[in-house]
Amino acid sequence: MIGSPKPWLVAGGLAVAALLASPASLHARPAHKRALADYFGPFLAKKLNDCRTCHLPDQPGAKADEGEKAHNAFGARLAAVRKELRQAGKKTDLAGRLDAIAQEDSDGDGVPNLLELLAGRFPGDPADRPTAAEVVKAKKTLTAFLKARDAYPWRPFEAVKRPALPKVKKAAWVRNPIDAFLAEQHEQHKLTPRPEAPRHVLLRRAYLDLIGLPPTPEELHAFLEDQSPRAYEKVVDRLLASAQYGERWGRHWMDVWRYSDWAGYGPQVRDSQPHVWHWRDWIIEALNEDRGYDRMVREMLAADEVAADDLNALRATGYLVRNFKLLSREKWMQDTVEHTFLAFQGVTLGCARCHDHMFDPILQKEYYQVRAVFEPHKVRTDRLPGQADVKKDGLVRAYDADLAVPTYLFVRGDDRVPDKNRKIVPGVPEALGGGPLVVEPVKLPRGAWNPERRPFVLHELIASLEQSVVLHDQDVAAAAHNEWLTHLAFPAQGGPLAAVVRLGLAPRLAAERQGTVMAREAGREVVRKYRLLAEVERLEDAGKAGTPEWEKAARNLNASERRFAYLKARNALFRRRHVPAPSAPKGKAKVTPPQRLAEAEKALARAEADLKLPPSTQYTKREVSTYPTTSTGRRLALARWLADRDNPLTARVAVNHIWLRHFGQALVPTVFDFGRNGRPPSHPALLDWLAAEFMDRGWSMKALHRLIVTSSAYRMDSTPDAANAAIDRDNKYLWRVAPRRAEAEVVRDSLFHVSGRLDLTMGGPDIDHAEGLTAPRRSLYFRQAAEKQMAFLKIFDGASVSECYERKHSIIPQQALALANSELARRQGRLLARDLAAKLGPDADGFVRAAFEQVLSRPPTRAEVAECTAFLRERTEHYRQTKLAPASGGAADGGLPSSDPGLRAREGLVHVLLNHHEFVTIR
């Protein structure tokens, strides 16, 4: 025997024991064949990944069902061991059974089962005996196989447990636990980590990673001159405290969470929703305040259930709003279900929509159980303080609209063929652990189901009415002034208003003045009425309806309503008598003026009669939108399940995304697939340790950033090493920090930043993407939607609208052309050159040094100074001989090049530096 079972795991799969203990394993294709591949991993010959390893070949006419295949000697022995283990009350997983018979010789050919399998031969077929040479080779393979099985197991579907820190020889290199895990791999693979990067390289790397902007020359010099032991750590703390940190990492998470502004044709909204930018601002603010990742998950999926009265928190449900589809509710639901699990769990749940998952132990039914979580929800736009028109601005958010809507399993995933014989209840895949969903309906506060009853809505209405009364007062004053003027004595036929008197218009002006006074009186009563209404609603919302206090307020409100009705009827009658109505076209008048006058008199009589009655508690309620008073609680249950410490994937997936964006390569290469069809992690123990640390530190992203960027691993140089490359060409074991092209947003923002023109205003509505070359706001604030993407960002591989779990960097000619020829690069280069020239005067050496520090965040070498000053001399002389026309003298905004030869040369040098590979590289 080979000791206790130690399942070997590959391709991000489950532990074999967990796989076969799960009910889902009964639906594997087939379970034992898959488990055998898990056990041996890369050591299993392709020939043996076959049913004949355990079964006899099919006989003519035999059924294809694996359950009816006869066992060979090896398979029969495995079946017998399973029976023995079951009787002993022990696990019967295939890994344990393989371990139990590893040293037996099932087919009697003289070669133990394990060696025969490692030699690529069938251990149940005596005719398939390995040769002597194959046995010798298999014994060597056995050593590697046992060593691999003793390595840290990758079990992504099991709860996170903090592994012990490895002991390494090069302890001096270890600044924090991250380094210990990497050093272990370095020593195992005989790799030598690169030395620490030069200080200016490290500074620029940290700035671009943490805030997405390069350091200024002043920040560069301050760091280079600070020789204190914690100089670098102080920079890291300052960057993490910067408001720009939230913008930089907000864009990263917007990639993962598929942020998209609304798309459609003309005013029609087809995808996402207008005002979804409030969610973008929520992301930035949450990151800057270091809100726990677990809380962010809960708010994005269920803020309307966990914080229904918090307008700031409700913005987070933009995560769900983003999936809105006007033309297909089915596509809307698919995106919500599938991308939620891709983003937060790293699981391709969508593969189970049409049938049981082909690789992971997830049933088709479980896909629809997750769908049932989201089935009731829809989106709406609520009013925000300060803006009554939701078309101009509003809180776009999720809510449960239909609490009784059923979920059915679609046969083969076809929504036209629902299986209505059974309704699907909310749930989560059992194999993912974390316990079952605990769904409890959520009773909502009034402001959630009756948003126009929120106090600010009525208060703003009253303020608006009060302003109207002020305007009425101004009208009354103007009317009085006009009437007074008509009574002034004017010389015969003289004076500007003599015609008013002569034409007999004075009574008309008097009537208008009286009407204005009456309107003011009615307006004041309206204000009083709504103030009383606010008090009545306040008492009702406090649960005091029917109390003496409420009855008094309701009677006062009823009396005010009657008085307003009286004033309104009186004013209407006055206008009928004194203000002629516009004449209707011939044949169109249905009611004659006398009839209108009679109706107004009757209305006033009714109002006067009502006014004399004793006040009652009956009042006219406001016409407001209402929604369900209860939410299902399904999304909150899912959010809590996701953000629970026992969930095996949430923390691992988040840590993997953060690591990817610091090092350019993820620990699990398939960032959206931690399942069996994904690729295994390069450092599983490190990932588990970081996930445990992440949760232990309150799911703090800033704490995780600080840990990563202060490690020796992060501080390494990016320069190559031939000896290391010969062993690990792809830098899988991180013996250096691999240089990488900066993201599109960093490139664009840096162009504005180095010229000193970047507008650091934060937040607000999305900006027209067509203004990307001229508007100096940060890139994440520009419109990002289908057919609404900035061309400059697309050239540099900006985020895809549909999904962007990991950006892929291309190298295409258009990128070089964009920096060489775009209006943006040329204009900002000219502006920077002019600023530096004005500051430094004719000092060519000083200009070169300043330009390098401003653009590349480093001082130039001596050779670079010599080369650049020679360039300035040569180009200046060239432009003098060219005799630049004054008409080309540059505009103040840098739109045209300078007509001064020396300045024109300096503009050219800065433009060259903006095209330097270091400007677009994080190294």
Side-chain angles (χ1 to χ4, degrees), residues 422-442:
R422 53 175 178 164
K423 291 183 180 179
I424 303 295
V425 299
V428 289
E430 183 179 346
L432 301 188
L437 286 191
V438 180
V439 179
E440 296 178 349
V442 177

Side-chain angles (χ1 to χ4, degrees), residues 247-324:
E247 294 176 318
R248 167 61 161 156
W249 281 86
R251 182 61 260 182
H252 285 319
W253 288 111
M254 286 160 66
D255 284 8
V256 178
W257 298 330
R258 302 174 62 245
Y259 177 87
S260 174
D261 295 297
W262 70 275
Y265 288 90
Q268 185 188 62
V269 179
R270 294 195 172 186
D271 299 326
S272 189
Q273 284 284 299
H275 321 314
V276 75
W277 58 267
H278 286 291
W279 172 42
R280 175 246 291 152
D281 286 359
W282 174 88
I283 295 172
I284 295 169
E285 293 165 19
L287 292 174
N288 277 334
E289 69 181 44
D290 200 20
R291 190 173 304 174
Y293 181 78
D294 57 337
R295 180 181 165 191
M296 293 180 71
V297 171
R298 287 192 294 271
E299 291 186 357
M300 283 191 287
L301 289 173
D304 60 306
E305 294 182 326
V306 74
D309 258 347
D310 187 341
L311 298 184
N312 284 328
L314 286 170
R315 296 177 298 166
T317 62
Y319 171 78
L320 296 170
V321 170
R322 176 266 174 273
N323 295 319
F324 169 81

Side-chain angles (χ1 to χ4, degrees), residues 553-592:
R555 289 192 185 96
N556 290 337
L557 175 56
N558 177 263
S560 179
E561 286 183 339
R562 291 178 182 179
R563 176 158 175 77
F564 173 70
Y566 163 73
L567 294 173
K568 182 179 178 183
R570 187 193 65 174
N571 294 359
L573 179 58
F574 179 85
R575 292 191 65 82
R576 289 283 180 267
R577 287 173 174 169
H578 300 285
V579 181
S583 56
K586 269 191 173 183
K588 296 290 184 181
K590 295 183 179 179
V591 183
T592 63

Side-chain angles (χ1 to χ4, degrees), residues 189-237:
H189 295 91
K190 298 180 173 54
L191 296 165
T192 302
R194 299 300 292 148
E196 185 167 309
R199 298 192 80 198
H200 66 268
V201 172
L202 183 58
L203 183 72
R204 181 178 174 87
R205 181 188 300 166
Y207 265 76
L208 294 180
D209 263 4
L210 293 177
I211 67 170
L213 300 172
T216 64
E218 293 75 20
E219 291 165 333
L220 172 65
H221 285 291
F223 177 63
L224 296 179
E225 293 166 8
D226 186 351
Q227 298 303 313
S228 64
R230 293 195 71 258
Y232 175 68
E233 285 77 4
K234 288 188 291 185
V235 168
V236 169
D237 288 341

Side-chain angles (χ1 to χ4, degrees), residues 704-721:
L704 185 59
H705 290 307
R706 188 177 290 106
L707 188 68
I708 290 173
V709 301
T710 57
S711 66
S712 292
Y714 182 85
R715 300 190 198 195
M716 285 188 294
D717 203 354
S718 60
T719 52
D721 179 87

